[in-house]
Amino acid sequence: DTEVTQTPKHLVMGMTNKKSLKCEQHMGHRAMYWYKQKAKKPPELMFVYSYEKLSINESVPSRFSPECPNSSLLNLHLHALQPEDSALYLCASSPPGRNEKLFFGSGTQLSVL
Amino acid sequence: GNSVTQMEGPVTLSEEAFLTINCTYTATGYPSLFWYVQYPGEGLQLLLKATKADDKGSNKGFEATYRKETTSFHLEKGSVQVSDSAVYFCALYTSGTYKYIFGTGTRLKVLA
């Protein structure tokens, strides 16, 4: 299994909703990432988990809450989002000792109304 | 700080034309350089990489050479296909971090 799987593929939510994005990999990778990508822009790093511990938080607003329950699973909990948070959210993972080798999922296209 | 600059798109070519997408970088130390490709509706995929000066990365007919003297990593392909239509991102990575610096992306459209 050489895939990073993200669900759902599309999500529409209101500003008062609570939702979660899910990411899963079974490649034995121990670093997992959340990126945000606006249309026609490069991905922007949000969070990095290394060995299930949060290593990097790129000053992301608290309405985004990451969670890494185990080495294969990464969640992003969403609450009270704003319309400007609408974007493609990409999960990625990298093998131990090879953090430059990113494997991306297909993303969740999020629309906040 | 580190940065990556790549040519503005979109680039529109006819099938079998020669492709060049320019990429230059600014970095301290010795970064690794990458090209990623993003097809519509998908995440990014690693296309090729080079880890030191004068290295040439290649994959699927695409090539790029790490030129330290010109701080460049231009992407080339001798004969593009319609299926190469995508957005291409140049990126650098500094060992010991988790952080990529991505260029702004160049959209390529290949016409049959």
Side-chain angles (χ1 to χ4, degrees), chain A residues 20-83:
Chain A
S20 297
L21 310 184
K22 180 179 172 182
C23 173
E24 201 162 2
Q25 58 85 17
H26 297 287
M27 295 180 280
H29 293 177
R30 302 310 298 270
M32 296 185 76
Y33 309 72
W34 282 115
Y35 282 84
K36 173 182 177 180
Q37 187 179 25
K38 301 283 274 185
K40 299 186 180 181
K41 298 290 186 183
E44 300 172 13
L45 183 63
M46 300 175 72
F47 303 104
V48 180
Y49 274 83
S50 177
Y51 292 85
E52 293 109 74
K53 288 187 173 17
L54 184 63
S55 294
I56 293 178
N57 176 343
E58 292 285 272
S59 304
V60 178
S62 59
R63 58 186 185 268
F64 295 90
S65 176
E67 179 195 20
C68 189
N70 59 57
S71 60
S72 299
L73 192 56
L74 184 67
N75 298 320
L76 186 63
H77 303 297
L78 314 172
H79 173 55
L81 294 193
Q82 304 297 309

Side-chain angles (χ1 to χ4, degrees), chain B residues 18 22 26 36 47 54 60 68 70 82 85 104-105:
Chain B
F18 184 86
N22 290 338
T26 303
Y36 277 85
L47 181 60
D54 300 325
K60 299 181 182 179
K68 195 163 176 62
T70 55
V82 172
S85 298
T104 52

